[in-house]
Amino acid sequence: MSAVPTLLVLDADPPPRLGRLTGRAAVVRTDGAGLAARLPEADVLLVWDCASHAVRAAWPGEGPRPRWVHTASVGVDHLMCPELAASDTVVTNARGVFDEPVAEYVAALVLAMAKDLPGTWELQRRREWRHREGLRVAGTRAVVVGSGPVGRAVARRLKALGVATAVVGRVPRTGVHGPDDLDRLLARADWVIAAAPLTERTHGMFDLRRFGVMQPSARFVNVGRGRLVVEDALVHALERRWIAGAALDVLTTEPLPADSPLWQVPGLLLSPHMGGDTVGRRDELGAQFVELFELWAAGRPLRNVVDKQRGYVPGP
């Protein structure tokens, strides 16, 4: 390792605050268009622009590649490609930053749908006084699909609201159901929360059959990855009232085009991938990366190391 390693930042606005690395790293900033030319000179790549797929496009090129890649997000599907997965480059993510904010957002969506807050705001806009009855949340049942830190945080929040909550993970273990239990749990759930990483096994897992398994009173929430859901199947289920409602914070296409039919689907709440985005998160993400950089520079083991074949950080 050279005395001053080169840190390449795939930038976004506002850029990360890396003042603590002054004199300890040569920081080079680039956008997606310049990434391929810059990769061979970098020791470390910080993917600050987590909406960009530039890493997937640039990584298979010529020349050396960074020995460590960190993304300021939990999901890594925007940067993984076969060449990166097969390399000896270490990949880390921002596990731990978004858990509680996403759990709060899910709780807010559950309460908003149970109490029909969207309907209340719409009636207020129309100056229409219409009394309705809301649903009780305590005593209902939920299944959270995804047993990572986000899924477990969601489960804790829902349990605090009095919701009987089951968690489904890749493999069964204490407190976590395996995939074989999913359909049985879906058939009894009032709330289905998708919080799984995007992998070959989870891609499109919420399809027409899965929405057909759910009871008519169920409501579906996706805060995982957009491609967990077959969106046409969800539209079909909502329009035919197979389920009572849904909320998507992540979508297959982001930003969602203004002419997308999803905007007009009855019973569907849409939000622009903001469930984990809270005031001050950029400072927290920057501080997390600096702490990891200090471990890396000292030759110590990194935290949040992604299993590149599975597509997420393994562990409890």
Side-chain angles (χ1 to χ4, degrees):
M1 183 183 299
S2 61
V4 180
T6 297
L7 167 61
L8 179 61
V9 181
L10 179 57
D11 231 338
D13 189 32
R17 297 182 181 180
L18 302 174
R20 282 170 53 188
L21 299 183
T22 301
R24 303 163 64 187
V27 179
V28 178
R29 301 181 186 275
T30 186
D31 59 11
L35 181 64
R38 295 285 193 178
L39 275 177
E41 67 191 59
D43 298 295
V44 179
L45 172 63
L46 168 58
V47 182
W48 191 250
D49 184 357
C50 299
S52 171
H53 288 78
V55 176
R56 294 179 62 181
W59 196 273
E62 298 296 327
R65 290 294 181 260
R67 290 167 284 167
W68 168 35
V69 174
H70 177 78
T71 179
S73 63
V74 176
V76 298
D77 49 285
H78 60 291
L79 57 87
M80 293 303 298
C81 61
E83 291 81 4
L84 175 54
S87 72
D88 58 2
T89 294
V90 175
V91 176
T92 58
N93 72 358
R95 174 175 164 137
V97 173
F98 298 102
D99 309 353
E100 295 302 330
V102 171
E104 292 172 356
Y105 199 75
V106 170
L109 289 172
V110 166
L111 291 170
M113 288 191 283
K115 308 306 179 183
D116 190 27
L117 295 185
T120 297
W121 289 325
E122 175 59 21
L123 289 169
Q124 178 181 342
R125 186 186 65 81
R126 289 156 38 186
R127 303 189 182 193
E128 184 176 340
W129 186 273
R130 186 192 304 171
H131 182 270
R132 289 107 64 226
E133 293 179 343
L135 300 173
R136 269 192 86 168
V137 171
T140 59
R141 295 175 175 173
V143 55
V144 178
V145 182
S147 59
V150 171
R152 296 198 304 273
V154 169
R156 290 193 299 270
R157 279 284 184 271
L158 294 180
K159 289 176 181 177
L161 293 175
V163 180
T165 305
V167 177
V168 176
R170 181 174 177 268
V171 294
R173 56 190 183 276
T174 303
V176 176
H177 294 266
D180 291 345
D181 291 336
L182 179 56
D183 285 355
R184 175 179 60 82
L185 293 168
L186 290 178
R188 304 171 59 196
D190 301 291
W191 310 99
V192 178
I193 316 298
L198 181 64
T199 68
E200 290 184 2
R201 298 178 65 173
T202 62
H203 188 284
M205 68 182 301
F206 290 99
D207 55 11
L208 203 60
R209 189 189 70 78
R210 284 261 161 75
F211 288 119
V213 168
M214 299 179 196
Q215 56 185 351
S217 61
R219 288 167 172 82
F220 174 77
V221 177
N222 186 13
V223 289
R225 307 299 289 173
R227 293 186 183 89
L228 298 178
V229 178
V230 179
E231 290 174 353
D232 287 345
L234 175 60
V235 171
H236 183 95
L238 288 169
E239 290 180 340
R240 287 157 181 77
R241 299 184 180 179
W242 290 6
I243 60 175
L248 300 179
D249 185 53
V250 288
L251 295 111
T252 299
T253 301
E254 297 181 5
L256 187 65
D259 61 354
S260 170
L262 289 175
W263 293 109
Q264 303 297 323
V265 176
L268 178 60
L269 285 172
L270 298 175
S271 54
H273 206 148
M274 57 180 282
D277 294 347
T278 53
V279 175
R281 82 178 190 285
R282 292 182 180 87
D283 289 342
E284 190 173 354
L285 288 166
Q288 181 189 57
F289 172 73
V290 170
E291 291 175 2
L292 290 172
F293 185 92
E294 290 171 343
L295 292 174
W296 178 82
R300 297 170 60 189
L302 289 169
R303 300 187 297 270
N304 292 5
V305 175
V306 172
D307 183 320
K308 293 185 291 183
Q309 303 305 317
R310 295 184 183 180
Y312 56 88
V313 178

